[in-house]
């Protein structure tokens, strides 16, 4: 986690003119955000069983977290060292905490909104949107393809095409390959588990 803030700070000292164009776009400047998301996904099951974690999510003071994220986004100068070192990590951790809260509180108003069909469809499209948005949602570009509202239309079009023409067929091919490549391993695993269960029954039946 400390590597990405250090890299952002190095840009500030060595190449300050590149900060608007590099921070958040290059992998090494945004790796901590990806790492926090992976950490949350990987520990979700364990965290759900953690009493302290549940108390934090259910606390009324949790409202301070999204407010803190908004403050870090709106009121801190994005060209300042404090923003690169502290504000971006606050945003990353705060957004991850808000996602965890939404996943845990699915029965509330926000949970029902996030589970609505249009939002769920956008969630399925999110990877394609993530891949294509950088081309058209660049606030530092004066190209016509980045002008509003054409940029939103292009993001939607490119994402839909990528999702239905590339992503979904690729997932189907993956499932087809996995079913054939790992069918034997799956069958052997089932047989070994069944044989192990039979052996244990025989052992218990012995006098």
């Amino acid at each position: 986690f400390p590597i990405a803030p250090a890299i952002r700070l190095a840009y500030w000292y060595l190449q300050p003119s590149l900060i608007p164009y590099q921070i958040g776009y290059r992998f090494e400047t945004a790796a901590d955000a990806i790492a926090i998301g992976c950490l949350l996904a990987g520990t979700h099951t364990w965290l759900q069983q953690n009493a302290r974690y549940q108390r934090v999510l259910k606390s009324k003071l949790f409202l301070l977290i999204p407010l803190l994220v908004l403050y870090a986004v709106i009121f801190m100068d994005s060209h300042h060292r404090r923003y690169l070192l502290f504000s971006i990590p606050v945003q990353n951790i705060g957004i991850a905490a808000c996602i965890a809260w939404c996943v845990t509180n699915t029965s509330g108003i926000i949970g029902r909104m996030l589970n609505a069909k249009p939002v769920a469809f956008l969630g399925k499209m999110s990877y394609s949107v993530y891949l294509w948005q950088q081309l058209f949602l660049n606030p530092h570009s004066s190209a016509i393809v980045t002008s509003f509202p054409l940029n939103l239309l292009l993001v939607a079009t490119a994402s839909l095409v990528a999702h239905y023409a590339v992503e979904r067929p690729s997932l189907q091919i993956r499932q087809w390959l996995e079913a054939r490549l790992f069918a034997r391993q799956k069958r052997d695993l089932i047989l070994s588990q069944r044989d192990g269960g039979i052996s244990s029954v025989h052992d218990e039946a012995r006098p």
Side-chain angles (χ1 to χ4, degrees), residues 56-76:
V56 170
L57 293 183
K58 293 177 181 179
S59 172
K60 294 181 179 179
L61 295 177
F62 190 88
L63 180 62
L64 296 175
I65 293 180
L67 294 177
L68 183 61
V69 171
L70 288 175
Y71 175 81
V73 173
I74 297 173
F75 296 105
M76 295 193 71

Side-chain angles (χ1 to χ4, degrees), residues 116-129:
K117 289 185 178 181
V119 180
F121 176 75
L122 182 60
K124 292 180 180 180
M125 295 284 300
S126 60
Y127 184 69
S128 295
V129 173

Side-chain angles (χ1 to χ4, degrees), residues 190-202:
I190 294 173
L191 289 175
S192 64
Q193 291 176 343
R194 186 181 65 182
D195 293 342
I198 293 174
S199 299
S200 63
V201 171
H202 288 170

Side-chain angles (χ1 to χ4, degrees), residues 2 50 72-73 88 97 99 131-132 166 182:
N50 188 291
V73 173
I88 294 178
I99 292 173
L131 290 178
W132 289 99
V166 179
F182 301 108

Side-chain angles (χ1 to χ4, degrees), residues 10-32:
Y11 270 105
W12 189 87
Y13 278 109
L14 301 177
Q15 295 288 341
S17 62
L18 295 180
I19 287 179
Y21 307 99
Q22 302 295 336
I23 303 302
Y25 293 99
R26 294 179 63 92
F27 172 78
E28 67 273 14
T29 67
D32 51 343

Side-chain angles (χ1 to χ4, degrees), residues 47 85 115 121 196 202:
L47 288 172
L85 278 177
N115 284 315
F121 176 75
H202 288 170

